[in-house]
Amino acid sequence: MLAYTNQVVAAREDLGILAAAIAAAGPAVALVARCPGASADALTAHAVRLVRQARAPDAQVLVTGRADIAAATGAHGVILRSDDLSVAEARTLRRRDGHPLLVFRSVHDAAEAAAAAAEGADARVVGAIWPAASPPRRAGGGV
């Protein structure tokens, strides 16, 4: 399960308590640092805070769109969008502990899912199945 967070969640005073409670579910859960439109510094600070709350063997932390920030903050991996690095490029980065990053790919249709599998992504995150307010630029793809 992926528990997405954004700038609104990052600003909550009780984020530490919430993140620790989610992390207690174990490694089947990942906290996702996602801050659309935010600066790299803001995303980094948010990822650092989540990493502190999700210590192994608890939940993993993933960063959306920025493999460099994932590696630098000690996050477990990255969720790449279609306009981000390739899976191969992201694989050149290592976490602070020397382990490779987990590389997920965000997909929105069967063709993108097949391409992500061919690229060697560790997992695919299927988005915008139904129409939603976020992201507004993409209609739901259906099941």
Side-chain angles (χ1 to χ4, degrees):
M1 178 177 83
L2 301 178
Y4 277 81
T5 62
N6 60 20
Q7 296 95 312
V8 173
V9 174
R12 290 181 61 132
E13 288 184 25
D14 62 348
L15 175 61
I17 295 166
L18 296 172
I22 292 168
V29 175
L31 294 161
V32 180
R34 178 181 180 269
C35 296
S39 68
D41 288 344
L43 180 59
T44 299
H46 184 44
V48 164
R49 191 169 176 201
L50 291 179
V51 167
R52 282 190 197 131
Q53 297 302 322
R55 301 223 180 254
D58 294 333
Q60 299 182 46
V61 175
L62 305 173
V63 176
T64 299
R66 294 292 303 262
D68 57 334
I69 290 174
T73 61
H76 297 87
V78 63
I79 299 174
L80 300 173
R81 300 163 301 208
S82 60
D83 57 349
D84 292 328
L85 296 174
S86 70
V87 171
E89 290 169 319
R91 291 226 184 273
T92 65
L93 299 173
R94 297 275 185 219
R95 297 184 342 212
R96 290 184 308 196
D97 63 8
H99 289 93
L101 288 173
L102 292 172
V103 181
F104 291 30
R105 177 67 85 179
S106 177
V107 301
H108 300 89
D109 58 36
E112 287 184 0
E119 266 191 296
D122 294 309
R124 289 162 297 289
V125 178
V126 180
I129 295 172
W130 294 280
S134 172
R137 70 183 190 285
R138 193 180 295 272
V143 251

